[in-house]
Amino acid sequence: MPRALITGITGQDGSYLAELLLDKGYEVWGVVRRASTESYERIEHLRDRLHFAQADLLDQPSLTAALQQAEPDEVYNLAAQSFVPTSWTQPVLTAEFTAVGVTRLLEAIRQVNPAIRFYQASSSEMFGRVLETPQSEDTPFYPRSPYGVAKVYGHYITVNYRESYDLFACSGILFNHESPRRGLEFVTRKVTNGVARIKMGLDDHLTLGNLDARRDWGFAGDYVDAMWRMLQQDEPEDYVVATGETHTVERLVQLAFDHAGLDRDAHVRTDPSLIRPAEVDLLVGDPAKAKEKLGWEPSVDFEGLVRMMVDADLERLSGAGGATRG
Ligand code: NAP
Ligand code: G4F
């Protein structure tokens, strides 16, 4: 039975990846942080089938101990401070988790078992103020947030450990991917949860920032499959994972309100305080390499994703006691 260790197992991607690996017959270990209250909501349904190691990306000995305990064949590093606006208010902590944390984990792998295959969660945020469109594995980086800068470090330290120590280390440059398990502060979920709350009579309006930003949005369940495929190849390489389509935040908003049968103009407000100090205006990925070498294709389109998320939020809130609004 192959064994995998996932950092960030309590997050959106960690939960989908754990499901995928369990279905494939893996013994799955998750790194969890000590907290006064556990936050296992996204993996509650899998809990009996998972193993846990308490560790933190800030603490190298705990990572070494987690590897010694789990003895994994594959490590997926999904843990990070992943919310872009927080990276301006906590830039040093973001760098510690999202940048130097990758080195701590790679060093632990090198010491415990250099044969471990390693996946690093790189991000399309690294393209930032894009230098070409669409963005591919060859597009230079121009990050626009402390988060993007930290991810560039994590990306290049992964490449460097592959080249310096011959580790099987891959970086997946993943474009935005969403699901009903997405954190409530990210724009897709903020919109679908907001629409559901308005529909149920729990709120009257939704306040957003920049509606002109464009993103290449896919479904998280599809993207974790690409991560696994990267680690099954003969050679470690980096891959862009994206749908190849881009949409504005405004289009996301319109689709979500339409799907719930609500008038967007009656409920959407904007607040300049939600505009970022530096914005990433346009992301659209070229997934040709992932398609060709990994045989990977997205299975959910943008409209289907928005419908899935609105329906899931409506269902979740339907027991909340609100009166449905027409
Ligand atoms: P997420 O839902 O925010 O989950 C982040 C996970 O990291 C949580 O499990 C969190 O644990 C854990 N974590 C944070 N700091 C940690 C630390 N110091 N030590 C150990 N664990 C820590 O993120 P996601 O959307 O699943 O994304 C997964 C990864 O892909 C992240 O690295 C993200 O930056 C990257 N990425 C995401 C996207 C996207 O669109 N979703 C695109 C490109 C790249 P707690 O539950 O304890 O907080
Ligand atoms: O949903 P977002 O917060 O995601 P963002 O910044 O693109 O980052 C996500 O994707 C990255 C991959 O490219 C990941 F690496 C990262 O970890 C994260 O998962 O914002 C998307 C867009 C931005 O342009 C933002 O300015 O939506 C715009 N937006 C407009 N109003 C808003 C809002 N974003 C948020 N979070 N909240 C708003 O009210």
Side-chain angles (χ1 to χ4, degrees):
M1 190 190 256
R3 276 197 296 271
L5 178 77
I6 303 172
T7 72
I9 197 166
T10 53
Q12 171 189 258
D13 291 7
S15 68
Y16 283 105
L17 181 63
E19 275 170 13
L20 179 112
L21 296 177
L22 286 170
D23 283 352
K24 291 189 182 295
Y26 279 69
E27 180 177 310
V28 179
W29 285 74
V31 166
V32 287
R33 298 194 272 181
R34 198 246 151 219
S36 63
T37 313
E38 287 179 345
S39 62
Y40 288 17
E41 215 178 300
R42 295 183 176 104
I43 49 169
E44 203 54 62
H45 60 299
L46 306 171
R47 219 166 144 169
D48 296 347
R49 301 164 65 199
L50 298 172
H51 304 263
F52 295 102
Q54 213 174 76
D56 197 301
L57 284 183
L58 299 182
D59 187 70
Q60 172 113 28
S62 69
L63 296 171
T64 303
L67 293 174
Q68 285 164 340
Q69 193 184 357
E71 297 186 64
D73 304 294
E74 298 172 6
V75 169
Y76 295 85
N77 183 33
L78 309 186
Q81 190 302 94
S82 74
F83 189 49
V84 173
T86 298
S87 77
W88 277 286
T89 54
Q90 299 183 356
V92 177
L93 189 62
T94 299
E96 286 291 349
F97 285 179
T98 306
V100 187
V102 187
T103 311
R104 292 192 190 95
L105 189 51
L106 285 164
E107 270 301 298
I109 287 174
R110 218 162 67 77
Q111 285 162 22
V112 174
N113 177 11
I116 289 171
R117 293 188 169 209
F118 176 76
Y119 173 84
Q120 167 59 16
S122 285
S123 166
S124 51
E125 250 320 278
M126 300 189 304
F127 296 122
R129 196 158 119 183
V130 297
L131 295 172
E132 66 178 3
T133 295
Q135 296 87 49
S136 75
E137 293 79 6
D138 300 322
T139 304
F141 301 138
Y142 191 147
R144 292 275 280 171
S145 62
Y147 168 84
V149 173
K151 281 287 178 187
V152 171
Y153 175 98
H155 179 83
Y156 277 127
I157 201 70
T158 301
V159 172
N160 180 262
Y161 271 53
R162 178 168 76 215
E163 294 176 355
S164 303
Y165 304 116
D166 210 18
L167 294 190
F168 194 107
C170 300
S171 227
I173 307 174
L174 270 52
F175 283 62
N176 299 51
H177 45 279
E178 319 292 317
S179 74
R181 298 182 201 165
R182 186 60 142 151
L184 285 166
E185 72 271 57
F186 297 91
V187 77
T188 51
R189 189 72 198 291
K190 183 171 173 183
V191 168
T192 62
N193 181 54
V195 161
R197 289 183 64 82
I198 293 168
K199 184 76 179 173
M200 301 304 295
L202 299 168
D203 274 335
D204 175 63
H205 62 271
L206 174 65
T207 305
L208 295 166
N210 177 13
L211 301 181
D212 297 327
R214 303 178 76 95
R215 290 289 182 277
D216 180 331
W217 279 294
F219 171 53
D222 288 337
Y223 285 46
V224 298
D225 178 48
M227 298 175 188
W228 174 77
R229 287 174 189 243
M230 285 176 215
L231 296 199
Q232 312 316 309
Q233 302 305 300
D234 291 337
E235 297 297 329
E237 290 183 39
D238 306 324
Y239 295 87
V240 158
V241 180
T243 69
E245 275 184 29
T246 191
H247 302 274
T248 58
V249 174
E250 175 59 48
R251 172 88 181 124
L252 157 75
V253 170
Q254 192 65 59
L255 280 172
F257 276 84
D258 285 353
H259 185 58
L262 292 171
D263 175 11
R264 170 242 181 271
D265 293 341
H267 300 289
V268 176
R269 298 178 186 171
T270 53
D271 179 348
S273 73
L274 293 172
I275 305 284
R276 299 176 180 187
E279 178 63 287
V280 172
D281 295 320
L282 163 77
L283 290 175
V284 57
D286 174 2
K289 181 179 174 186
K291 284 188 180 174
E292 191 198 316
K293 290 201 162 181
L294 303 179
W296 178 85
E297 296 259 9
S299 73
V300 180
D301 67 10
F302 180 60
E303 288 76 11
L305 176 67
V306 175
R307 284 196 301 271
M308 177 205 295
M309 292 177 68
V310 171
D311 288 344
D313 278 320
L314 281 169
E315 195 183 320
R316 188 177 51 85
L317 290 175
S318 61
T324 311
R325 185 176 295 189

